Every structure is written in structure tokens, then in C-alpha cells.
Amino acid sequence: MASPLIFKRDPVTDPRVLAFLEEHLSDMRRISPPESVHALDPEQLRAPGMYLWTAWTAGQEPQALVATCALKTLDAGHLELKSMRVGAEQRGSGAAQQVLDHVLAQARAMRAARISLETGTEAFFAPARRFYARNGFAHCAPFGSYQPDPNSCFMRLELP
């Protein structure tokens, strides 16, 4: 199990966060066709209606960046999970569960009724799809501005 993480609401300006997000974008561009890459760049993550959190190691200096996760407001009560990424060295440690638990708590505090997400259908994304399914996300139709795409898997969680 991962050590407890420290979560910070992030303005997307720290060079470590920018490099982490660029690595995420690079992976998405390498794995998916251009028309199926829906990852957001730093400027998009700073837009109104976006909320980005970073997760950092606790109890060590300097703190190390472990993960990012964002929520995008779609409409009243409906949020989209974006930019959830755990660094390669932390995968399988339980850090992803801590990140998802944190962002779901934030969504509930924002009085969201549901959270939707888009992830890939390629083999690279299979662990993510299993992770979200284990956490109650179910397959759904495209939402927001998404269109049907054979490279996209759409999932939704209704919040109690």
C-alpha cells in the first residue's frame, strides 16, 4: 500500500507538474490516433470550470510528485474525470486508489450527482478500465462533446 499522499489544488505552473503532464500527453499521443487523444494540456487545465489536484509524497523532503487528477464541470451535477495519471514508479502501489478516493470526495463536496470519464480501448488502457470498473464505474454512451469513437471507452459513476 502506498504511503499517505498530500493533495494540493494546483494552478498548473510548477515545472515538475508541467513535465509530468507533458509525459502524460506524450504517452497519449504515442498510443492513440490524433483524433482520439482527449488529454488536456496545461492551458486547458487552467480554464474556468477545471479543478486540478496534484498528489505528493508525505514525510520526505523534497516532496515527490506522484499523481495528477482533474475534474471538469460539464453541467450542474455532472463532472468529467480528466488527467488522472500516476507516475510509473508508483503504479500498483495503491496510489491510484488514494487519488480516486480524493477526487470523488471533492466531487461529492461539489454536490455532483455523477462523474463520467473517457479512456482508451487499446491494451495500454486495460488496467485503467479494470480499475474504474472495480470502483463502480459502468460503461455509458458518449457524453458532453464526445462522439462515438472505436478508440474511446466511456464510463460513468452515479454518486450517492
Side-chain angles (χ1 to χ4, degrees):
M1 182 65 168
S3 298
L5 300 174
I6 296 170
F7 291 93
K8 300 177 184 179
R9 182 75 196 283
D10 201 283
V12 198
T13 57
D14 184 312
R16 296 170 295 178
V17 173
L18 295 171
F20 192 88
L21 292 169
E22 183 52 44
E23 182 180 305
H24 177 62
L25 285 167
S26 293
D27 276 352
M28 299 305 99
R29 291 178 186 130
R30 178 178 52 80
I31 295 160
S32 300
E35 67 277 6
S36 298
V37 174
H38 302 291
L40 301 178
D41 65 31
E43 190 64 32
Q44 293 168 309
L45 288 166
R46 290 185 204 105
M50 291 294 310
Y51 306 89
L52 178 79
W53 290 271
T54 50
W56 302 82
T57 55
Q60 71 181 44
E61 289 299 328
Q63 291 178 330
L65 178 59
V66 173
T68 58
C69 194
L71 289 173
K72 176 182 179 183
T73 304
L74 296 175
D75 59 43
H78 190 188
L79 302 172
E80 181 180 1
L81 183 65
K82 298 293 292 182
S83 299
M84 183 159 166
R85 179 181 181 84
V86 173
E89 64 284 351
Q90 295 286 332
R91 292 183 189 147
S93 71
Q97 190 64 59
Q98 286 186 63
V99 173
L100 185 61
D101 290 347
H102 176 78
V103 81
L104 292 177
Q106 297 301 312
R108 287 182 182 99
M110 297 164 73
R111 302 193 185 284
R114 67 186 170 283
I115 296 181
S116 299
L117 64 87
E118 180 276 338
T119 192
T121 57
E122 294 90 346
F124 176 88
F125 298 102
R129 293 190 306 269
R130 287 191 301 270
F131 172 74
Y132 293 125
R134 274 195 317 272
N135 279 278
F137 284 81
H139 292 277
C140 67
F143 57 89
S145 62
Y146 290 106
Q147 299 299 313
D149 179 347
N151 297 300
S152 288
C153 171
F154 302 98
M155 301 179 86
R156 175 171 292 150
L157 175 67
E158 300 295 330
L159 295 173

